């Protein structure tokens, strides 16, 4: 008989002391009721004492990833993003993490993922300060303008690919170099999209699609090269999620709310917090035999 991944006693702990959530400033925050017992009950899903970097961590899926890693016990999660100072949602998230207790910290660092040399230096400094580097979530990305493929300019193409392809690669590179330096096993999660696997109906954003397809292949190639160094690399392909990026598009073109929703079995867009579970799994030892994979979480969009 197959044994369950989490024992009944562990499930009981999780039920008695749930890591529930509340909303503030549009961010679903982790409850302050998390306890060490929950960490222990998470078993291989626990990230106790681990150090992570999350690019694009000021908001959206990057911030959700940071919250997920913190809730699972990470000692320090560094959110790297372009703004000189973090936004209101990030500050609310930091307060939420502080209430979890223990030594957990959410840190913010201004960084441009397109600048390889500076990014390498920044991540090296983080790893030196913390004495380790365990997890990287490369979530920084932009959608670019929506227009016919016949009209895109060279500059528009380069703008999207510089962030979504080069930036993701430089982030993964920077983290992997530190994982090798400290000779620790690591997990790298590259944020791709279903747009990297299928064309999006009524959504003409060719540079975005091609950049995300490149990220999926990037994860496979890096996984092959880094497996012998005990570093796992996977890509995560969300469907349409209610992030600031998608909300900005819907505010200008409201019809996309129904267009995107109707393509899903669930007839709705996903919520950012619905990706926390898969992010935690990919970052943790629970997914220790998973590398070079592209995980799709899209409400059934690509299953038609």
């Amino acid at each position: 008989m197959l044994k369950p991944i989490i024992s009944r006693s562990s499930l009981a702990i999780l039920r008695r002391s749930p890591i529930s959530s509340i909303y503030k400033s549009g961010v679903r925050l982790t409850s302050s009721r998390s306890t060490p017992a929950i960490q222990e009950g998470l078993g291989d899903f626990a990230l106790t004492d681990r150090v992570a970097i999350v690019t694009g961590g000021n908001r959206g899926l990057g911030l959700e990833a940071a919250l997920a890693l913190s809730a699972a016990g990470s000692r320090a999660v560094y959110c790297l993003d372009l703004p000189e100072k973090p936004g209101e949602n990030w500050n609310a998230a930091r307060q939420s993490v502080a209430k979890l207790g223990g030594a957990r910290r959410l840190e913010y660092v201004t960084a441009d993922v397109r600048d390889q040399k500076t990014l390498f230096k920044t991540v090296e400094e983080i790893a030196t300060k913390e004495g380790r580097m365990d997890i990287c979530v490369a979530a920084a990305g932009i959608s670019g303008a929506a227009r016919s493929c016949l009209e895109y300019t060279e500059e528009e193409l380069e703008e999207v690919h510089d962030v979504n392809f080069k930036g993701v690669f430089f982030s993964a590179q920077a983290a992997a170099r530190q994982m090798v330096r400290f000779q620790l096993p690591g997990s790298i999660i590259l944020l791709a999209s279903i747009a990297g696997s299928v064309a999006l109906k009524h959504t003409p954003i060719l540079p975005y699609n091609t950049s995300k397809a490149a990220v999926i292949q990037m994860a496979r190639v890096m996984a092959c090269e880094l497996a012998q160094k005990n570093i796992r690399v996977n890509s995560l392909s969300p469907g349409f999620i209610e992030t600031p990026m998608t909300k900005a598009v819907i505010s200008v073109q409201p019809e996309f709310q129904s267009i995107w929703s109707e393509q899903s079995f669930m007839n709705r867009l996903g919520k950012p917090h619905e990706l926390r579970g898969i992010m935690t799994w990919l970052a943790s030892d629970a997914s220790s035999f998973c590398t070079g994979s592209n995980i799709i979480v899209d409400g059934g969009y690509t299953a038609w």
Side-chain angles (χ1 to χ4, degrees):
M1 181 181 295
L2 293 174
K3 294 182 178 180
I5 295 177
I6 301 179
S7 67
R8 292 182 179 179
S9 60
S10 296
L11 286 173
I13 292 173
L14 289 171
R15 292 190 185 103
R16 288 196 302 271
S17 303
I19 303 179
S20 59
S21 302
I22 58 175
Y23 285 91
K24 181 176 181 180
S25 303
V27 178
R28 185 167 182 169
L29 305 178
T30 305
S31 168
S32 60
R33 291 181 291 168
S34 177
T35 66
I38 291 179
Q39 298 298 316
E40 182 179 347
L42 288 174
D44 286 344
F45 291 86
L47 300 174
T48 308
D49 198 44
R50 298 188 192 181
V51 174
I53 63 165
V54 179
T55 65
N58 183 46
R59 63 177 192 167
L61 297 184
L63 183 54
E64 289 294 333
L67 284 166
L69 302 180
S70 296
S74 294
R75 184 215 309 165
V77 179
Y78 285 79
C79 298
L80 280 57
D81 217 324
L82 267 177
E84 184 177 344
K85 295 182 180 180
E88 179 184 356
N89 287 352
W90 189 90
N91 287 320
R94 186 180 195 181
Q95 293 176 12
S96 175
V97 169
K99 291 177 182 178
L100 291 173
R104 280 171 285 199
R105 291 178 285 117
L106 202 62
E107 304 282 359
Y108 185 82
V109 177
T110 300
D112 186 345
V113 295
R114 298 168 298 184
D115 185 342
Q116 185 188 40
K117 292 182 179 179
T118 303
L119 188 62
F120 279 8
K121 181 180 179 181
T122 297
V123 176
E124 181 179 4
E125 289 174 351
I126 291 171
T128 299
K129 174 184 176 182
E130 300 293 343
R132 61 190 300 148
M133 179 60 61
D134 305 279
I135 303 162
C136 169
V137 180
I142 60 174
S143 63
R147 66 176 81 250
S148 165
C149 64
L150 303 180
E151 298 175 359
Y152 275 108
T153 66
E154 179 181 0
E155 291 74 20
E156 289 173 327
L157 184 67
E158 288 181 348
E159 180 184 25
V160 174
H161 282 210
D162 280 351
V163 178
N164 293 5
F165 174 69
K166 288 184 180 179
V168 168
F169 180 52
F170 296 160
S171 302
Q173 264 189 316
R177 286 161 66 99
Q178 299 310 309
M179 293 170 184
V180 171
R181 174 187 168 202
F182 285 96
Q183 298 184 338
L184 292 170
S187 176
I188 297 174
I189 306 166
L190 310 183
L191 257 291
S193 165
I194 57 170
S197 299
V198 298
L200 304 179
K201 189 176 182 180
H202 304 308
T203 310
I205 46 174
L206 183 144
Y208 180 81
N209 285 50
T210 54
S211 69
K212 293 303 184 179
V215 168
I216 293 171
Q217 183 66 358
M218 183 192 303
R220 296 189 185 109
V221 175
M222 292 192 76
C224 289
E225 292 192 32
L226 297 178
Q228 297 305 312
K229 300 183 184 299
N230 209 10
I231 298 172
R232 298 182 295 109
V233 187
N234 294 285
S235 58
L236 174 59
S237 287
F240 289 103
I241 309 294
E242 291 183 359
T243 63
M245 184 187 297
T246 56
K247 288 180 179 179
V249 174
I250 292 171
S251 67
V252 177
Q253 296 176 278
E255 66 272 17
F256 276 106
Q257 177 78 45
S258 58
I259 290 173
W260 292 338
S261 297
E262 289 168 2
Q263 297 301 307
S264 165
F265 292 167
M266 297 180 177
N267 197 33
R268 66 176 177 86
L269 274 62
K271 303 291 186 181
H273 71 268
E274 291 179 302
L275 292 175
R276 288 191 192 177
I278 191 66
M279 290 176 176
T280 301
W281 179 72
L282 286 172
S284 73
D285 295 341
S287 62
S288 58
F289 196 55
C290 180
T291 193
S293 294
N294 178 49
I295 311 297
I296 296 175
V297 183
D298 66 352
Y301 187 102
T302 59
W304 288 107

